[in-house]
Amino acid sequence: GYELISYRTVELGGRQATEYVYRYTVGGVEYRYKQVIAAYKSMLYSLTYTALPENYDAHLADVDAMIGAFAFR
């Protein structure tokens, strides 16, 4: 199943975006997802980080750095 853990307004490439963190089970395996979605020039952009729950925090700082460095052209 799907469980929303949190959502909040953030920035992606200088644009307003929404960040979702949720759990989802696929084929009996639980994953944790972080998804940041923003609109730009009539398109939706979605950046998604997926990990097993026990590995999620280990790479979160790197994921946040990539999200912070994202730029629209």
Side-chain angles (χ1 to χ4, degrees):
Y2 159 89
E3 179 188 353
L4 180 65
I5 296 170
S6 65
Y7 69 95
R8 65 187 181 124
T9 300
V10 296
E11 275 196 13
L12 180 65
R15 309 281 301 178
Q16 182 174 319
T18 303
E19 175 191 277
Y20 299 93
V21 177
Y22 52 98
R23 289 187 193 98
Y24 195 75
T25 302
V26 178
V29 178
E30 181 182 305
Y31 296 93
R32 183 160 303 173
Y33 295 84
K34 178 177 193 167
Q35 190 170 41
V36 178
I37 301 171
Y40 181 71
K41 292 188 177 179
S42 302
M43 302 289 286
L44 285 178
Y45 289 79
S46 174
L47 303 181
T48 304
Y49 166 53
T50 306
L52 295 170
E54 61 269 21
N55 298 330
Y56 182 83
D57 290 338
H59 303 287
L60 195 54
D62 292 331
V63 171
D64 288 337
M66 287 186 279
I67 290 169
F70 185 89
F72 293 102
R73 294 182 179 201

